[in-house]
């Protein structure tokens, strides 16, 4: 017998807001089912669903497990900008490895944003990105933008 990852549950102080944020990140509708708010993932994904529950106490999430996401197309920079506009905050980039950045959702849960599928294919083929090291520069600009999201 084998097991598979069926769902991931993310506790928060405002599960509905957290579900809307992650629905925007993953472009999935929020479902208010009999067992709570969740996002149903596309068939073939594991976990099959993300669930959002009320956290027992207000606390900043620790540095434990985190999700990693990546855009299907576009650039890492564009995805960081899109996620920032949804309420995510940039924690740090990876200067030695311009392949990912660490962000937090509106309640402080950490998640990694990786290069898009297009960028990964370009890297495998040895294609230079149009902006070279500009990814780091643009991501830093997003981080330092004082007009960014408010919590």
């Amino acid at each position: 017998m084998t097991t598979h990852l069926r769902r991931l549950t993310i506790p928060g102080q405002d599960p509905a807001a957290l579900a809307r944020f992650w629905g925007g990140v993953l472009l999935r509708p929020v479902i208010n089912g009999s067992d709570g708010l969740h996002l149903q993932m596309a068939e073939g994904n594991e976990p099959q669903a993300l669930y959002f529950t009320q956290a027992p106490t207000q606390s900043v999430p620790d540095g434990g497990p985190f999700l990693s996401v990546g855009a299907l197309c576009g650039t890492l920079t564009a995805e960081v900008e899109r996620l920032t506009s949804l309420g995510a905050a940039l924690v740090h980039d990876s200067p030695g490895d311009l392949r990912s950045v660490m962000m937090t959702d509106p309640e402080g849960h950490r998640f990694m944003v990786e290069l898009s599928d297009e960028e990964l294919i370009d890297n495998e083929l040895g294609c230079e990105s149009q902006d070279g090291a500009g990814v780091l520069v643009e991501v830093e600009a997003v981080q330092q933008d004082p007009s960014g999201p408010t919590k």
Side-chain angles (χ1 to χ4, degrees):
M1 178 193 275
T2 60
T3 59
H4 67 278
L5 183 58
R6 182 169 294 153
R7 70 171 81 180
L8 176 64
T9 301
I10 303 173
Q13 295 303 306
D14 186 348
L18 206 51
R20 284 190 304 275
F21 170 80
W22 282 104
V25 169
L26 300 171
L27 301 176
R28 307 298 301 171
V30 176
I31 300 168
N32 191 0
S34 61
D35 50 355
L37 295 171
H38 66 279
L39 308 177
Q40 191 66 42
M41 298 292 96
E43 190 171 321
N45 279 339
E46 288 190 19
Q48 296 172 354
L50 296 180
Y51 280 78
F52 303 89
T53 62
Q54 182 69 42
T57 61
Q58 186 168 2
S59 64
V60 176
D62 64 9
F66 57 86
L67 298 173
S68 290
V69 299
L72 296 174
C73 60
T75 65
L76 175 62
T77 300
E79 189 64 5
V80 167
E81 290 172 355
R82 185 180 80 84
L83 298 176
T84 301
S85 74
L86 291 173
L90 185 65
V91 175
H92 65 79
D93 52 28
S94 305
D97 174 21
L98 297 178
R99 300 172 61 91
S100 63
V101 296
M102 183 65 71
M103 300 187 81
T104 59
D105 69 19
E107 291 209 12
H109 300 99
R110 294 170 10 139
F111 65 98
M112 184 72 69
V113 183
E114 300 175 349
L115 291 177
S116 70
D117 289 355
E118 283 181 356
E119 290 173 306
L120 289 171
I121 291 169
D122 286 348
N123 283 350
E124 287 177 15
L125 297 175
C127 300
E128 290 293 322
S129 70
Q130 294 176 354
D131 58 3
V135 172
L136 177 62
V137 173
E138 291 178 36
V139 168
E140 286 177 349
V142 170
Q143 180 180 18
Q144 296 170 3
D145 183 1
S147 65
T150 58
K151 290 189 177 186

